Amino acid sequence: MIVFIAITAALAGFLFGFDEGIIAGALDLIEQQYAPTAFEVGFMAAAVPLGALFGALSVGNITQHFGRKKVMIAAGVIFILGSLAAAWTPVFMVLIIARLSLGFAIGMTGVVSPMYISESAPARKRGALVSAFQLAITIGILSAYMVNLNFYQSENWRLMFASGAIPSLFFLFGVMRLPESPRWLVLKGRVDEAKQVLQKIRKKKDLVLLSIEDEVAAIQDNLQQETKKKASFKDLFDNKVKAAVFVAMTLFILQQLSGINIIIYFAPKIFSLTGYSDATTRIMATIGLGAVNVGMTIVALKYIDKIGRRKLLMMGFTGCAITLIGITMTSQMTTGLWPMVSATLIMLYIASFAISLGPVPILMMAEIFPLRLRGPGMCLASMCNWGFNTIVVYSFPVMLEKMGLSQTLGLYAIFCVYGLYYTIRHVPETKGITLEEIELHLHKDEPLSNLGR
Ligand code: BGC
């Protein structure tokens, strides 16, 4: 059963990555067919993160009322219909609406899937599942790039979008077989059902550490504490936790302002601007980039607990800044060996991102909030992620038209330099520190940045 739980988690991340990546290959062909303006292109590409912003915002109350499973099933249905609607697109506006609804489902699952997992998985698996989510995003992006290659020759952008329905179907059937979250069942007073579910999803190994009766009692106790002092968004700005909230929000904002999604969403276009005139070569290079993203994420997951979050972030911001500055200089030279140099710099940029800025914000967001505020805190941090993702993706086609590639990338390099400064000054180190110790530190009068240094 734990395998199924892991698969839902992974599939939600996979679908997030897939819908981000698929636009890279489809864009050229859609532009040829509909000749949209730069504003329309930006809006169509950014419809996914924008929809996700609304999905994440609206899902809190719905899932308290209907449960985690029903919400994931609804998202699964939207994923399937959204992919098919994007493929069907009779007019450009339909494509925008389809991508908005795909984004909405991504936003819903982005909140509910991790919630379901943390409520169902035994404690010893929780950390691994958080990191698996980021890895699944990168595998989703890579798979989308491979689908792009498959259909690019036949110029069939519709089948690129339609392919998204297949993993969505797996997701839907997967969640239909899952039991409801035991914690939600207790919340609704369905204690016997919760015990039956726990009996089904716990292994002997887990039961030695914590019996079903004790686990249910702990959940009840916890819920009682929560209802006594219900957490709200306002509490996030309480003096003690404010610093944690700012670090989580800023890390996501800086993750997006590193310009990552300019590359993820528009890679073939960027390869074309840096001198690659052949479309298939561009898609192949994009696949290479997707593979570097997956590979370096695996490396990051291996070393995140050894090297630590801060050092990785410092390396990542430095790498991203240097490579972006490099590309601003080489991208103007589109003949001879220069396109190769630009492509290598783009790969190094992705590697720098994947080893640090990709996984660290997600992991720290799950570690840094006190338990009581973890829900609203994670929700707010995710909003920053989606909000800035939307701004960066939406503005890129327009910036490209008005400022050109070099200056646009130069601007994002400045944000990376600031990210390095911010990490050195403000980011704490949570490597090897328990969640309880982090929470204790928040209640001290010391600055959060002293933690773990
Ligand atoms: C970011 C996405 C990005 C992806 C790239 C994630 O951590 O939130 O916006 O596209 O990494 O791998």
Side-chain angles (χ1 to χ4, degrees):
M1 194 39 92
I2 193 71
V3 174
F4 259 120
I5 292 176
I7 289 176
T8 12
L11 272 177
F14 180 95
L15 289 167
F16 165 7
F18 190 91
D19 287 315
E20 281 199 316
I22 204 72
I23 199 67
L27 190 61
D28 240 12
L29 304 170
I30 295 171
E31 281 184 317
Q32 281 166 28
Q33 182 158 351
Y34 292 106
T37 63
F39 280 106
E40 286 169 334
V41 171
F43 193 42
M44 191 257 300
V48 163
L50 184 63
L53 189 67
F54 289 112
L57 255 178
S58 61
V59 82
N61 287 334
I62 306 177
T63 191
Q64 277 318 71
H65 191 75
F66 292 103
R68 321 310 188 213
K69 184 172 166 173
K70 287 205 185 99
V71 171
M72 288 195 282
I73 292 178
V77 173
I78 302 178
F79 271 129
I80 297 170
L81 295 179
S83 309
L84 297 178
W88 166 67
T89 301
V91 285
F92 192 69
M93 197 58 202
V94 172
L95 185 56
I96 292 182
I97 295 170
R99 292 202 29 97
L100 272 172
S101 45
L102 282 170
F104 194 83
I106 290 175
M108 286 165 89
T109 49
V111 175
V112 178
S113 296
M115 185 185 281
Y116 174 83
I117 295 151
S118 63
E119 291 177 349
S120 310
R124 66 190 169 87
K125 289 261 161 69
R126 220 179 294 147
L129 286 169
V130 172
S131 315
F133 199 77
Q134 174 66 18
L135 182 60
I137 295 175
T138 60
I139 297 176
I141 294 173
L142 177 60
S143 309
Y145 290 164
M146 300 211 285
V147 167
N148 287 341
L149 177 67
N150 200 26
F151 294 117
Y152 196 85
Q153 296 275 310
S154 54
E155 302 195 350
N156 204 335
W157 57 268
R158 292 177 191 277
L159 279 182
M160 294 180 187
F161 286 119
S163 310
I166 299 169
S168 308
L169 264 173
F170 278 110
F171 177 70
L172 180 62
F173 287 124
V175 284
M176 276 162 74
R177 291 197 51 194
L178 288 176
E180 185 45 273
S181 144
R183 198 167 191 281
W184 183 78
L185 289 169
V186 175
L187 178 77
K188 292 285 156 183
R190 291 155 62 177
V191 176
D192 287 338
E193 274 174 80
K195 286 183 185 166
Q196 281 165 17
V197 170
L198 284 170
Q199 201 78 49
K200 216 158 96 187
I201 63 180
R202 291 289 174 264
K203 287 194 172 152
K204 277 206 193 95
K205 238 191 279 175
D206 304 312
L207 294 177
V208 176
L209 297 172
L210 189 66
S211 73
I212 302 280
E213 292 297 327
D214 287 348
E215 188 164 356
V216 169
I219 297 176
Q220 282 171 322
D221 197 43
N222 206 297
L223 281 175
Q224 243 171 20
Q225 301 289 338
E226 266 183 33
T227 30
K228 245 191 254 158
K229 209 174 167 222
K230 211 166 177 299
S232 72
F233 275 102
K234 228 173 62 211
D235 297 331
L236 287 173
F237 297 96
D238 177 279
N239 263 342
K240 298 279 180 201
V241 279
K242 215 164 52 188
V245 176
F246 281 126
V247 168
M249 285 170 61
T250 312
L251 282 183
F252 272 116
I253 294 174
L254 287 171
Q255 179 197 64
Q256 293 303 323
L257 291 183
S258 69
I260 181 63
N261 286 318
I262 289 181
I263 309 284
I264 297 289
Y265 285 57
F266 300 100
K269 190 170 211 80
I270 291 173
F271 284 124
S272 136
L273 293 169
T274 54
Y276 286 90
S277 51
D278 175 54
T280 314
T281 316
R282 291 199 295 257
I283 304 257
M284 292 294 283
T286 305
I287 291 183
L289 183 152
V292 170
N293 195 16
V294 174
M296 290 310 275
T297 304
I298 296 174
V299 175
L301 300 187
K302 201 156 168 245
Y303 290 105
I304 211 160
D305 282 319
K306 292 192 185 112
I307 300 180
R309 290 69 165 140
R310 282 186 86 237
K311 274 202 195 126
L312 281 180
L313 279 178
M314 288 192 255
M315 281 162 55
F317 278 121
T318 310
C320 286
I322 294 176
T323 47
L324 280 180
I325 293 167
I327 307 166
T328 59
M329 297 193 283
T330 60
S331 62
Q332 320 256 15
M333 299 176 274
T334 53
T335 50
L337 282 179
W338 287 110
M340 283 256 286
V341 178
S342 297
T344 310
L345 286 169
I346 294 175
M347 300 291 170
L348 288 172
Y349 166 82
I350 287 287
S352 308
F353 175 91
I355 202 163
S356 59
L357 298 185
V360 173
I362 294 189
L363 183 59
M364 284 194 91
M365 152 176 100
E367 295 178 324
I368 208 171
F369 294 115
L371 180 64
R372 200 171 68 81
L373 291 172
R374 202 160 290 153
M378 286 175 71
C379 191
L380 191 63
S382 306
M383 308 265 105
C384 291
N385 189 1
W386 294 123
F388 279 81
N389 187 330
T390 306
I391 294 170
V392 171
V393 172
Y394 175 69
S395 58
F396 178 67
V398 183
M399 284 167 81
L400 193 63
E401 203 175 82
K402 304 263 183 268
M403 299 162 47
L405 185 62
S406 255
Q407 287 193 26
T408 306
L409 295 184
L411 179 69
Y412 287 106
I414 298 174
F415 290 125
C416 293
V417 174
Y418 177 73
L420 176 62
Y421 164 79
Y422 181 83
T423 307
I424 295 172
R425 290 272 334 238
H426 299 291
V427 178
E429 179 54 82
T430 51
K431 171 186 90 170
I433 301 179
T434 67
L435 297 184
E436 289 67 34
E437 284 166 344
I438 298 176
E439 191 156 348
L440 272 178
H441 187 96
L442 290 178
H443 293 292
K444 289 186 193 158
D445 277 331
E446 260 181 77
L448 176 63
S449 53
N450 281 3
L451 176 72
R453 296 219 201 162

